[in-house]
């Protein structure tokens, strides 16, 4: 019988020392126990020793902390039942039952058991337990070690599961599939293989089967070659005369071949074979699948025949036909090829598509292809300028549609040479432009105009400005409009824009004097989200908004020097980069600037860059002040009166003669804007602010006023007639019958004159 370890027994039963010698002996024994515990803790597997009553005398760290989840000193001197509140619930019962069996038949005991450990997981352990006896042969303790089999069990289960899965995949697969081992013996042969070859599994499994049953020559399986690690050249020789096999990942192969003895007329088979390896990467067999693609092969041949017939038809078509897929030509008819100056489709198919299109038209073509790729088709008919092989340009019109080509999206384009038609259209457009220019020129020769656009006036000074406006509208050059405040510089700019080729777009007006200096760059060039603090979203600037139109810079003299530099560069480069972006934004803008300051003097003062000045100061226009065109005053007064609010109780359509005469004697330092404000104030308060300063010394009843002196006879008579009707209506309290009687005319005649002069009586 085995003896109980003396050190454990001695350390547990040693009497308390009472002498110095006994103390020394005890210290030596304690040191041995400590060394023994250190050795036990170094063992990775759980180890323990307990007396027959189940009281633990010793254990290592793996047993205490991993299995029970307690420090070692909390376990020594206790049974598992003592610790049942602190350890996993079933440990005490499991260990006690096994210990009782071992005590009945002392010796060595080995068994497997699942134990719920301290981490909450169940693990499978192999227990090796052994009883120890004292000098009298009685059992003094039980020692044991626990070997963790959990990982091995999981690996074995996974292996069994994989084997079952492989068998299920092979045998349940609808595609013919078989497996061979390292000795080339077939281990699996599914039902689909039986149906394809007519060979039952019972006849094939366990044999070294070859294709010789269906092929006149002795040839192995593709799987055999993979197991033998055959070189690609050897596999190619096996399939000589058929499509060359392709090497796939992990040493797998695919190939096809025709087998005349399978089926009534032979079958085309497609093979895929891959190696099976163990954990060390050694080949343990191979799996091979067979696919019957005879019908697909026949359909492919019919498709090729149909394509040949289609090519014969399209080659005779008058229009060019092409199919574009992934920016490459996949089909070209001869008309298309010869249209671009090539002899054979293969020559053109190697040429990048972008090289066939003139550089300015490439972005539109690339956008078209991208729209088709994204499914957002915008234009199905496109005109573009293309380049032949010899470099000569010609115009084409392409009718495009989205199709599927061999299962992938593609663009089918029918292309026609429209160079002759396009030349005629361009000639017509040029002639129309010339006619428009000539029309503007003829308009500029018309004298005595009463207005142009929203400008009012017939004076000689205004006739000059009208002439300059028409000539500026016919030009594409930048313009600077000079004039005092209130003269209508913005109206001049808008008239130039409206009469120009850009008049179909909105004028983008910018008041440079109203923009804080820190915001100039962002306002003009825009910014991307996050470009600076506060830029919470993308914003387009004035330049991008004015693309294709006119940018009106009011008070251009207030623009900072650094913005002048950047704006000059943007105009010269025909584009800019927004703040926080790397994308170049192309622009096409015309600048009309306005100022009441002397820009040349500002250059001398260093407040304006000379290069910026010469960029915008191409066509200067000087708007005359109102004091230099006083003959336009009656027209302006009449125009402004007609724009007044008609909802007022007392409608004013004509000013009294003494008011008009007073206005003609005024200097008007605020120009037309001041005149408009004065008329609004008179309409509201029935008085002029400057009457005390410029009171008319002549009696109010004088008939020959400056107003009449500046009018033709016909105009003066019409004005007098209108005023007479108004005064007569007022005397008779808008009674039309009595008014007509006093004027000596019929009521119907009075009604026509009221309508003619825009007079609306109350009743």
């Amino acid at each position: 019988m085995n003896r109980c370890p003396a050190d454990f027994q001695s350390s547990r039963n040693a009497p308390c020392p009472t002498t110095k010698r006994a103390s020394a002996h005890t210290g030596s024994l304690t040191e041995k126990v400590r060394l023994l515990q250190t050795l036990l803790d170094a063992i990775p597997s759980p180890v323990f020793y307990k007396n027959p009553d189940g009281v633990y005398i010793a254990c290592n760290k793996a047993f205490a902390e991993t299995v029970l989840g307690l420090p070692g000193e909390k376990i020594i001197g206790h049974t598992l039942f003592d610790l049942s509140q602190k350890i996993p619930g079933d440990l005490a019962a499991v260990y006690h039952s096994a210990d009782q069996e071992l005590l009945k038949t002392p010796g060595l005991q080995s068994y497997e058991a699942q134990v719920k450990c301290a981490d909450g997981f169940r693990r499978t352990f192999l227990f090796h337990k052994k009883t120890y006896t004292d000098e009298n042969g009685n059992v003094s303790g039980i020692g044991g070690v626990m070997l963790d089999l959990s990982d091995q069990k999981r690996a074995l289960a996974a292996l069994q599961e994989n084997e079952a899965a492989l068998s299920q995949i092979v045998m349940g697969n609808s595609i013919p599939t078989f497996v061979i081992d390292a000795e080339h013996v077939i281990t699996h042969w599914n039902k689909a293989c039986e149906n394809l070859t007519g060979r039952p599994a019972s006849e094939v499994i366990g044999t070294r089967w070859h294709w010789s049953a269906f092929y006149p020559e002795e040839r192995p399986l593709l799987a055999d070659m993979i197991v033998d690690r055959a070189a690609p050249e050897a596999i190619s020789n096996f399939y000589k005369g058929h499509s060359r096999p392709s090497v796939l990942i992990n040493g797998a192969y695919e190939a096809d071949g025709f087998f005349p003895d399978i089926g009534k007329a032979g079958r085309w088979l497609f093979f895929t074979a891959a190696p099976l390896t163990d954990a060390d990467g050694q080949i343990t067999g191979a799996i091979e699948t067979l696919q019957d693609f005879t019908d697909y092969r026949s359909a492919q041949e019919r498709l090729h025949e149909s394509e040949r017939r289609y090519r014969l038809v399209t080659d005779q078509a008058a229009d060019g036909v092409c199919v574009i897929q992934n920016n490459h030509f996949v089909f070209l008819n001869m008309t298309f090829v010869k249209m671009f100056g090539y002899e054979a489709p293969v020559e053109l198919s190697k040429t990048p598509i972008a090289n066939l299109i003139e550089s300015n038209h490439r972005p539109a073509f690339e956008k078209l292809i991208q729209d088709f790729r994204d499914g957002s088709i915008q234009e199905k008919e496109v005109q573009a300028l293309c380049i032949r092989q010899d470099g000569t340009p010609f115009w084409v019109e392409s009718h495009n549609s989205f199709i599927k080509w061999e299962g992938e999206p593609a663009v089918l384009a029918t292309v026609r040479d429209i160079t002759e038609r396009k030349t005629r259209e361009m000639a017509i457009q040029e002639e129309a432009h010339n006619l428009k220019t000539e029309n503007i020129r003829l308009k500029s020769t018309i004298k005595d105009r009463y207005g142009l656009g929203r400008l009012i006036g017939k004076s000689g000074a205004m006739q000059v400005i009208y002439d300059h406006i028409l000539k500026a509208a016919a030009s594409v050059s930048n313009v600077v409009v000079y004039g005092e405040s209130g003269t209508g510089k913005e109206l001049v700019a808008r008239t130039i824009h409206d009469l120009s080729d850009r008049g179909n777009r909105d004028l983008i007006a910018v008041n440079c004097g109203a923009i804080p200096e820190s915001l100039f760059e962002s306002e003009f060039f825009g910014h991307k989200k996050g470009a600076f603090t506060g830029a919470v979203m993308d914003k387009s600037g004035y330049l991008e908004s004015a693309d294709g139109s006119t940018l009106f810079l009011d008070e251009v003299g207030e623009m900072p020097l650094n913005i002048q530099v950047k704006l000059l560069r943007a105009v010269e480069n025909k584009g800019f980069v927004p703040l926080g972006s790397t994308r170049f934004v192309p622009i096409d803008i015309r600048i009309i600037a306005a100022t009441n300051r002397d820009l040349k003097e500002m250059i001398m003062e260093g407040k304006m860059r000379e290069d910026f000045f010469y960029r915008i100061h191409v066509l200067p226009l000087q708007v005359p002040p109102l004091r230099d065109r006083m003959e336009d005053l009656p027209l302006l007064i009449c125009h402004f009166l007609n724009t007044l609010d008609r909802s007022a109780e007392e409608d004013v359509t004509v000013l009294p003669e003494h008011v008009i005469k007073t206005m003609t004697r005024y200097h008007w330092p605020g120009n037309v804007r001041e005149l408009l404000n004065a008329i609004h104030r008179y309409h509201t308060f029935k008085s002029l602010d400057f009457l005390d300063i410029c009171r008319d010394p002549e009696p109010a009843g004088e008939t020959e006023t400056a107003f009449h002196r500046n009018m033709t006879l016909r105009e003066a008579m019409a004005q007098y007639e209108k005023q007479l009707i108004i005064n007569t209506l007022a005397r008779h309290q808008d009674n039309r019958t009595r008014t007509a009687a006093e004027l000596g005319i019929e009521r119907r005649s009075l009604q026509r004159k009221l309508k003619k002069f825009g007079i609306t009586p109350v009743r």
Side-chain angles (χ1 to χ4, degrees), residues 654-655 657 660 701-705 707-708 711-729 731 742-743 753 756-757 759:
V654 176
L655 296 181
E657 291 184 9
I660 295 176
E702 184 180 11
T703 58
E704 188 179 350
T705 62
F707 178 81
H708 288 154
M711 298 176 67
T712 65
L713 178 61
R714 185 184 298 277
E715 292 171 349
M717 291 176 64
Q719 184 65 36
Y720 180 83
E721 183 181 13
K722 179 179 180 181
Q723 189 63 49
L724 180 61
I725 293 173
I726 292 172
N727 294 339
T728 307
L729 277 170
R731 282 197 301 273
E742 181 177 337
L743 294 173
K753 292 181 181 296
K756 172 184 176 182
F757 295 119
I759 302 172

Coordinates of all heavy atoms in Angstrom, one line a residue, residues 654-655 657 660 701-705 707-708 711-729 731 742-743 753 756-757 759:
V654 N -51.2 114.2 -61.6 CA -50.6 115.4 -62.2 C -50.2 116.3 -61.1 O -51.1 116.6 -60.2 CB -51.5 116.0 -63.2 CG1 -50.8 117.3 -63.8 CG2 -51.8 115.1 -64.4
L655 N -49.0 116.9 -61.1 CA -48.6 117.9 -60.1 C -49.1 119.3 -60.6 O -49.1 119.5 -61.8 CB -47.1 117.8 -59.9 CG -46.5 116.6 -59.3 CD1 -45.0 116.7 -59.1 CD2 -47.2 116.2 -58.0
E657 N -48.8 123.2 -61.6 CA -47.8 123.8 -62.4 C -46.8 124.5 -61.5 O -45.6 124.5 -61.9 CB -48.4 124.8 -63.4 CG -49.3 124.1 -64.5 CD -49.8 125.1 -65.5 OE1 -49.4 126.3 -65.4 OE2 -50.6 124.7 -66.3
I660 N -44.3 121.9 -60.3 CA -43.4 121.5 -61.3 C -42.4 122.5 -61.6 O -41.2 122.3 -61.8 CB -44.2 121.1 -62.6 CG1 -45.1 119.9 -62.3 CG2 -43.3 120.8 -63.8 CD1 -46.0 119.5 -63.5
G701 N -50.6 131.2 -61.2 CA -51.5 131.0 -62.4 C -50.8 131.2 -63.7 O -51.5 131.2 -64.7
E702 N -49.5 131.5 -63.7 CA -48.8 131.7 -65.0 C -48.9 130.5 -65.8 O -48.6 129.4 -65.3 CB -47.3 132.1 -64.7 CG -46.6 132.4 -66.0 CD -45.1 132.8 -65.7 OE1 -44.7 132.5 -64.5 OE2 -44.4 133.2 -66.5
T703 N -49.2 130.6 -67.1 CA -49.5 129.5 -67.9 C -48.2 129.0 -68.7 O -48.1 127.8 -69.0 CB -50.6 129.8 -68.9 OG1 -50.2 130.9 -69.7 CG2 -51.9 130.1 -68.2
E704 N -47.3 129.9 -69.0 CA -46.2 129.5 -69.8 C -45.0 129.2 -68.8 O -44.2 130.0 -68.5 CB -45.7 130.7 -70.7 CG -44.6 130.2 -71.6 CD -44.2 131.3 -72.6 OE1 -44.9 132.4 -72.6 OE2 -43.2 131.1 -73.3
T705 N -45.1 128.0 -68.3 CA -44.1 127.5 -67.3 C -42.9 126.8 -68.0 O -43.0 126.5 -69.2 CB -44.7 126.5 -66.3 OG1 -45.2 125.4 -67.1 CG2 -45.9 127.2 -65.6
F707 N -42.2 123.9 -67.6 CA -42.8 122.6 -67.9 C -43.3 122.6 -69.4 O -43.0 121.8 -70.2 CB -43.9 122.2 -66.9 CG -44.5 120.9 -67.2 CD1 -44.0 119.7 -66.9 CD2 -45.8 120.9 -67.9 CE1 -44.6 118.5 -67.1 CE2 -46.4 119.7 -68.2 CZ -45.8 118.5 -67.8
H708 N -44.1 123.7 -69.7 CA -44.7 123.8 -71.0 C -43.6 124.1 -72.1 O -43.7 123.7 -73.2 CB -45.8 124.8 -71.1 CG -47.0 124.3 -70.4 ND1 -48.0 125.1 -69.8 CD2 -47.5 123.0 -70.1 CE1 -48.9 124.4 -69.2 NE2 -48.6 123.1 -69.4
M711 N -41.9 121.1 -73.7 CA -42.8 120.1 -74.3 C -43.2 120.5 -75.7 O -43.2 121.7 -76.0 CB -44.1 119.9 -73.5 CG -43.8 119.4 -72.1 SD -45.3 119.3 -71.1 CE -46.2 118.0 -71.9
T712 N -43.5 119.5 -76.6 CA -44.0 119.9 -77.9 C -45.4 120.4 -77.8 O -46.1 120.3 -76.7 CB -44.0 118.6 -78.8 OG1 -44.9 117.7 -78.2 CG2 -42.6 118.0 -78.8
L713 N -45.9 121.0 -78.9 CA -47.3 121.5 -78.9 C -48.3 120.4 -78.6 O -49.2 120.6 -77.8 CB -47.5 122.2 -80.2 CG -49.0 122.8 -80.4 CD1 -49.2 123.8 -79.4 CD2 -49.1 123.3 -81.8
R714 N -48.1 119.3 -79.2 CA -49.0 118.2 -79.0 C -49.0 117.7 -77.6 O -50.1 117.5 -77.0 CB -48.7 117.0 -80.0 CG -49.7 115.9 -79.9 CD -49.2 114.7 -80.8 NE -49.1 115.1 -82.2 CZ -50.1 115.1 -83.0 NH1 -51.3 114.8 -82.6 NH2 -49.9 115.5 -84.3
E715 N -47.8 117.6 -77.0 CA -47.8 117.2 -75.6 C -48.4 118.2 -74.7 O -49.1 117.9 -73.7 CB -46.3 116.9 -75.2 CG -45.7 115.7 -75.9 CD -44.2 115.7 -75.7 OE1 -43.6 116.7 -75.2 OE2 -43.6 114.7 -76.0
A716 N -48.1 119.5 -74.9 CA -48.6 120.6 -74.1 C -50.2 120.6 -74.2 O -50.8 120.8 -73.1 CB -48.0 121.9 -74.5
M717 N -50.7 120.4 -75.4 CA -52.2 120.4 -75.5 C -52.8 119.2 -74.8 O -53.8 119.4 -74.1 CB -52.5 120.4 -77.0 CG -52.2 121.7 -77.8 SD -52.5 121.6 -79.5 CE -54.3 121.4 -79.5
A718 N -52.1 118.1 -74.9 CA -52.7 116.9 -74.2 C -52.6 117.1 -72.7 O -53.6 116.8 -72.0 CB -51.9 115.7 -74.6
Q719 N -51.5 117.7 -72.2 CA -51.4 117.9 -70.8 C -52.4 119.0 -70.3 O -53.0 118.8 -69.3 CB -49.9 118.4 -70.5 CG -49.7 118.6 -69.0 CD -49.7 117.3 -68.3 OE1 -49.3 116.3 -68.8 NE2 -50.3 117.3 -67.1
Y720 N -52.6 120.0 -71.1 CA -53.6 121.0 -70.8 C -55.0 120.4 -70.8 O -55.8 120.7 -69.9 CB -53.5 122.2 -71.7 CG -54.5 123.3 -71.4 CD1 -54.2 124.3 -70.5 CD2 -55.8 123.4 -72.1 CE1 -55.2 125.3 -70.1 CE2 -56.7 124.4 -71.8 CZ -56.4 125.3 -70.8 OH -57.3 126.3 -70.5
E721 N -55.3 119.6 -71.8 CA -56.6 119.0 -71.9 C -56.9 118.1 -70.7 O -58.0 118.1 -70.1 CB -56.8 118.2 -73.2 CG -58.1 117.6 -73.4 CD -58.2 116.8 -74.6 OE1 -57.1 116.5 -75.2 OE2 -59.3 116.4 -75.1
K722 N -55.9 117.3 -70.3 CA -56.0 116.4 -69.2 C -56.3 117.2 -67.9 O -57.2 116.9 -67.1 CB -54.8 115.6 -69.0 CG -54.8 114.6 -67.8 CD -53.5 113.8 -67.8 CE -53.5 112.8 -66.6 NZ -52.3 112.0 -66.6
Q723 N -55.5 118.3 -67.7 CA -55.6 119.1 -66.5 C -57.0 119.8 -66.4 O -57.6 119.9 -65.4 CB -54.5 120.1 -66.4 CG -54.4 120.8 -65.1 CD -54.1 119.9 -63.9 OE1 -53.2 119.1 -64.0 NE2 -54.9 119.9 -62.9
L724 N -57.5 120.2 -67.6 CA -58.8 120.9 -67.7 C -59.9 119.9 -67.3 O -60.8 120.3 -66.6 CB -59.0 121.4 -69.1 CG -60.3 122.2 -69.3 CD1 -60.5 123.4 -68.4 CD2 -60.5 122.6 -70.8
I725 N -59.8 118.7 -67.8 CA -60.8 117.7 -67.4 C -60.8 117.4 -65.9 O -61.8 117.3 -65.3 CB -60.6 116.4 -68.3 CG1 -60.9 116.7 -69.7 CG2 -61.5 115.3 -67.7 CD1 -60.5 115.5 -70.6
I726 N -59.6 117.3 -65.4 CA -59.5 117.0 -63.9 C -60.1 118.1 -63.1 O -60.9 117.9 -62.2 CB -58.0 116.8 -63.6 CG1 -57.5 115.5 -64.2 CG2 -57.8 116.7 -62.1 CD1 -56.0 115.3 -64.0
N727 N -59.8 119.4 -63.5 CA -60.3 120.5 -62.7 C -61.8 120.6 -62.8 O -62.5 120.9 -61.9 CB -59.6 121.8 -63.2 CG -58.1 121.8 -62.9 OD1 -57.7 121.1 -62.1 ND2 -57.4 122.7 -63.7
T728 N -62.3 120.4 -64.1 CA -63.8 120.5 -64.3 C -64.5 119.4 -63.5 O -65.6 119.6 -62.9 CB -64.1 120.4 -65.8 OG1 -63.4 121.3 -66.5 CG2 -65.6 120.6 -66.0
L729 N -63.9 118.2 -63.5 CA -64.5 117.1 -62.7 C -64.5 117.4 -61.2 O -65.5 117.1 -60.5 CB -63.7 115.8 -62.9 CG -64.1 114.9 -64.1 CD1 -63.0 113.9 -64.3 CD2 -65.4 114.3 -64.0
R731 N -64.7 120.4 -59.9 CA -65.8 121.4 -59.6 C -67.2 120.8 -59.5 O -68.0 121.3 -58.8 CB -65.7 122.5 -60.7 CG -64.6 123.5 -60.5 CD -64.8 124.8 -61.3 NE -65.0 124.5 -62.7 CZ -64.0 124.5 -63.6 NH1 -62.7 124.6 -63.1 NH2 -64.2 124.2 -64.8
E742 N -70.3 121.2 -69.4 CA -69.5 122.4 -69.3 C -68.4 122.4 -70.3 O -68.0 123.5 -70.9 CB -68.9 122.5 -67.9 CG -68.0 123.8 -67.7 CD -67.5 123.9 -66.3 OE1 -68.1 123.3 -65.4 OE2 -66.5 124.6 -66.1
L743 N -67.8 121.2 -70.6 CA -66.7 121.2 -71.6 C -67.3 121.2 -73.0 O -66.5 121.4 -74.0 CB -65.9 119.9 -71.4 CG -65.1 119.8 -70.1 CD1 -64.5 118.4 -70.0 CD2 -64.0 120.8 -70.1
K753 N -62.0 110.1 -73.2 CA -60.8 110.9 -72.8 C -60.4 110.5 -71.4 O -59.2 110.5 -71.1 CB -61.2 112.4 -72.8 CG -61.4 112.9 -74.3 CD -61.7 114.4 -74.3 CE -61.9 114.9 -75.7 NZ -60.7 114.8 -76.5
K756 N -58.4 107.5 -71.9 CA -57.1 107.9 -72.6 C -56.1 108.4 -71.6 O -54.9 108.0 -71.6 CB -57.4 108.9 -73.7 CG -56.1 109.5 -74.3 CD -56.5 110.5 -75.4 CE -55.2 111.2 -75.9 NZ -55.6 112.2 -76.9
F757 N -56.6 109.3 -70.7 CA -55.6 110.0 -69.8 C -55.5 109.2 -68.5 O -54.7 109.6 -67.6 CB -56.1 111.4 -69.5 CG -56.0 112.3 -70.7 CD1 -57.2 112.9 -71.2 CD2 -54.8 112.5 -71.4 CE1 -57.1 113.7 -72.3 CE2 -54.8 113.4 -72.5 CZ -55.9 114.0 -73.0
I759 N -57.7 108.8 -66.1 CA -58.4 109.5 -65.0 C -59.6 108.6 -64.5 O -60.4 108.1 -65.3 CB -59.0 110.8 -65.5 CG1 -57.8 111.7 -66.1 CG2 -59.7 111.6 -64.4 CD1 -58.3 113.0 -66.8

